[in-house]
Amino acid sequence: MWPSLVALGGFLIFFLGWRFYSRFVAQRIYRLEADFETPAHAYNDGLDFVPTNRFVLWGHHFTSVAGAAPIIGPAIAVIWGWGPALVWIILGTVFIAGMHDFGTLWTSVRHRARSIGSIASEVLGPRARSLFLLIIFFLLLMVNAVFAVAIATLFVNFPESVLPYWLQIPIAMTIGLLAYRSRMPLLLPCLIGLALLIALVFLGVQVPVSLPEDPAGVPTIAWWVMIMLGYGAIASRLPVWLLLQPRDFINAHLLFLGLFVIYLGLFVGRPDFAAPMFNQDVPADAPSLIPLLFVTIACGAISGFHGLVSSGTSARQLNREPDARFVGYLGATGEGLLALAALLAVSAGFAGMAEWQGHYDSWAAASAGGIAAFVNGAGSLLANLGIPPAVGTTMIAIMVVAFAATTLDTSMRLQRFILAEIGRDYGLKFLSNINLATVITFLLCAGLAFGADPANPGGGGMVLWPLFGTTNQLTAGLSLLVLSLILWRLGRPVIFTVLPFLFVATMTTWAMVHNLLRYFGDGNWLLLTIGSLIFALNIWLILEGVLAVRRGKQQAEVQPS
């Protein structure tokens, strides 16, 4: 009964956060204006800048930021017990993630849909902008390389998911053409697309698809990585309305359906927790709860990647400024709901404490088996509804693959945007060419995937993955810093962004120091070198923020009264 009560409590707090706190933020802090001309209208090009219905944009935004991270993070963090992870997911979503995602979307719309890194130049100076863009570029490179590996692994482990995933693409493109060329309302064809996707789940169970084992001597996973990076590059080059929007809208419905059946299975089956609330027997190789909890669960609480999506693709599609609250804050709330479902699935989806402890007997096992724990745990909850385990796990696997793939091509599109901004900064005009930037993005991702670890073709991104958590949260902290400075200049309340910034910056810096000491002890010079560089950039940018405040105060003092 406990997991059910926890779920109901989470629903209530999320609702209250949306109903009251987000409205307070919209009215008192960001002060949204219905008459403001958004970049989607000002620069409408039919490719990246497209005014979009807020429900459709919410679907794109939500599925882009969701990815697999809000599943993997809680599935690993439960090793410390479900209690600490629950508190961080709830409070982090309501008071930090919602403010951050909503704010980065609002400020980007107010700055011609520029990325948060580019906007930093106005409050921190041109030098800080270049530093911030470098961190963002590195973060996106890791996301692209690692998500391709995550999807490839799912395809290999769950071949039933392959056919539904690839057949979803022509369905989504057909819906896009119907909506934007035939002007058909999007909801009905998307519901038909969702019905077709569900039918494909059953087809996938009957017709699992696997690549031949190690074709041409190259591991099967490496082939899938190359295919996914190639697909991501092509998808990121297509007009946003043709594939990205309709597929994300279908996926949003799929996620709602998936969340509904997971929670329904929880309420019907009423399982007890298999995981302890506070794990008193944490494996010896697990790092300390504080500060690592706050970088292990990123998406699902707060994530710097969310700010990149908000100030990247979503800001270019926002139809009206008041829609920013719906898209930004409610997108973060949806992410919190997914993280809560993942936490409950890996806490109550096991047969008992012994089975749970068997899975979480080491930090390495928990880290490597996060997605599998969620898929199997959620599958067992679906079994409470009479859904056969094979169908249930396939449905959950497709859900995870769909979101990971959505994040992948959104991330590759974002990296193209960042390349263009870096090109403008340094006078490299060729980086503004869409086709060339897309090719460069693909080559960089493939280079990391296949060059960083020759002994593990395609999995090179995993070499740098230990840096993802801290780099991601560093980006979130810096985004909150930029947002705070903008609000301060406008004379608006800053306490609601400064406190989250201080908390995120402190925990992330602490975690980075912890990790650097561990890399030094392990003799991992690659991670130590790159991590130290990112750490130095972090401190440097925070100092730039302090200098920006001092400059602002000095300018205010010399202003005539």
Side-chain angles (χ1 to χ4, degrees):
M1 192 63 184
W2 265 102
S4 305
L5 291 176
V6 168
L8 289 174
F11 296 165
L12 177 62
I13 297 173
F14 285 147
F15 171 75
L16 294 175
W18 156 251
R19 180 71 177 80
F20 296 104
Y21 189 60
S22 73
R23 186 167 64 179
F24 166 78
V25 171
Q27 293 177 347
R28 298 289 301 278
I29 299 176
Y30 298 140
R31 303 177 189 176
L32 308 180
E33 297 178 15
D35 296 333
F36 180 78
E37 184 184 40
T38 64
H41 289 282
Y43 310 113
N44 188 348
D45 61 1
L47 177 66
D48 297 319
F49 292 85
V50 179
T52 303
N53 175 284
R54 67 173 184 168
F55 292 98
V56 177
L57 181 55
W58 183 89
H60 156 69
H61 180 84
F62 177 36
T63 53
S64 295
V65 300
I71 295 170
I72 297 174
I76 296 173
V78 74
I79 198 169
W80 292 298
W82 57 266
L86 175 69
V87 172
W88 174 228
I89 288 171
I90 297 291
L91 298 183
T93 295
V94 171
F95 293 107
I96 303 182
M99 169 66 78
H100 169 271
D101 297 11
F102 183 5
T104 47
L105 177 56
W106 164 77
T107 195
S108 178
V109 167
R110 286 282 169 167
H111 291 82
R112 305 187 302 280
R114 291 158 57 195
S115 74
I116 191 69
S118 175
I119 296 169
S121 65
E122 293 193 7
V123 291
L124 298 175
R127 183 174 51 204
R129 165 186 168 146
S130 299
L131 297 175
F132 204 170
L133 287 178
L134 285 175
I135 293 175
I136 293 173
F137 182 83
F138 184 71
L139 174 63
L140 292 173
L141 192 60
M142 279 195 291
V143 168
N144 294 335
V146 173
F147 270 58
V149 177
I151 297 167
T153 304
L154 281 167
F155 278 158
V156 171
N157 293 336
F158 300 95
E160 300 87 353
S161 66
V162 173
L163 198 60
Y165 171 76
W166 290 106
L167 289 181
Q168 183 195 23
I169 294 174
I171 293 173
M173 294 180 74
T174 302
I175 292 171
L177 289 169
L178 287 173
Y180 284 91
R181 289 293 181 260
S182 302
R183 298 298 176 186
M184 179 182 293
L186 198 54
L187 180 60
L188 179 61
C190 277
L191 291 177
I192 295 174
L194 177 63
L196 290 173
L197 182 59
I198 294 172
L200 289 173
V201 171
F202 291 91
L203 179 63
V205 172
Q206 299 300 320
V207 189
V209 176
S210 301
L211 292 179
E213 187 173 353
D214 299 348
V218 177
T220 306
I221 285 184
W223 281 104
W224 277 124
V225 169
M226 184 59 74
I227 291 170
M228 289 311 303
L229 288 177
Y231 156 76
I234 294 171
S236 71
R237 176 61 184 86
L238 295 175
V240 71
W241 56 265
L242 180 58
L243 175 60
L244 198 63
Q245 283 185 357
R247 194 191 57 188
D248 291 358
F249 200 41
I250 296 174
N251 286 341
H253 287 83
L254 177 65
L255 175 60
F256 270 131
L257 179 63
L259 287 176
F260 176 76
V261 294
I262 289 172
Y263 282 117
L264 187 62
L266 184 70
F267 294 132
V268 171
R270 292 185 295 176
D272 204 347
F273 280 112
M277 186 174 183
F278 298 99
N279 191 5
Q280 303 296 327
D281 189 24
V282 177
D285 65 337
S288 59
L289 167 66
I290 299 176
L292 267 298
L293 171 66
F294 305 103
V295 297
T296 301
I297 299 181
C299 299
I302 181 173
S303 165
F305 183 72
H306 294 190
L308 304 187
V309 175
S310 293
S311 64
T313 58
S314 298
R316 300 177 186 220
Q317 301 171 65
L318 196 73
N319 185 37
R320 299 170 62 251
E321 191 177 61
D323 293 347
R325 177 191 172 207
F326 184 86
V327 175
Y329 193 94
L330 206 54
T333 303
E335 182 109 334
L337 279 172
L338 177 58
L340 179 60
L343 178 64
L344 294 176
V346 298
S347 300
F350 285 82
M353 175 72 83
E355 184 178 313
W356 186 87
Q357 288 177 325
H359 183 85
Y360 287 95
D361 63 351
S362 70
W363 176 257
S367 300
I371 290 181
F374 170 72
V375 171
N376 293 321
S380 71
L381 294 180
L382 266 58
N384 294 327
L385 304 176
I387 299 175
V391 175
T393 54
T394 298
M395 180 177 173
I396 298 299
I398 290 172
M399 191 174 83
V400 177
V401 168
F403 294 130
T406 302
T407 300
L408 176 65
D409 64 31
T410 297
S411 180
M412 294 189 78
R413 186 181 290 262
L414 289 172
Q415 194 153 30
R416 168 163 66 80
F417 295 161
I418 296 297
L419 273 175
E421 290 186 352
I422 291 175
R424 284 194 290 272
D425 267 7
Y426 294 97
L428 305 173
K429 294 183 179 178
F430 64 92
L431 291 178
S432 298
N433 181 286
I434 292 176
N435 294 321
L436 188 55
T438 302
V439 171
I440 292 174
T441 297
F442 168 79
L443 292 176
L444 288 172
C445 295
L448 175 58
F450 289 88
D453 185 6
N456 182 24
M462 302 308 295
V463 173
L464 301 181
W465 186 243
L467 298 172
F468 171 79
T470 49
T471 308
N472 188 44
Q473 299 307 69
L474 160 65
T475 306
L478 294 175
S479 297
L480 286 168
L481 173 63
V482 172
L483 196 54
S484 300
L485 289 169
I486 290 174
L487 292 172
W488 179 60
R489 285 187 171 185
L490 293 173
R492 299 182 188 180
V494 297
I495 191 69
F496 303 98
T497 52
V498 166
L499 287 180
F501 158 69
L502 292 175
F503 179 79
V504 173
T506 301
M507 289 300 156
T508 304
T509 304
W510 186 355
M512 292 183 86
V513 171
H514 179 281
N515 285 341
L516 289 176
L517 291 174
R518 184 160 55 88
Y519 300 148
F520 180 77
D522 295 342
N524 192 332
W525 308 118
L526 176 63
L527 292 185
L528 179 64
T529 303
I530 299 177
S532 298
L533 177 62
I534 294 172
F535 179 75
L537 292 176
N538 176 28
I539 300 300
W540 190 348
L541 281 168
I542 291 175
L543 292 176
E544 292 281 356
V546 173
L547 292 174
V549 172
R550 293 181 60 182
R551 285 196 300 268
K553 286 184 175 179
Q554 290 170 354
Q555 289 172 0
E557 289 171 357
V558 300
Q559 291 292 330
S561 58

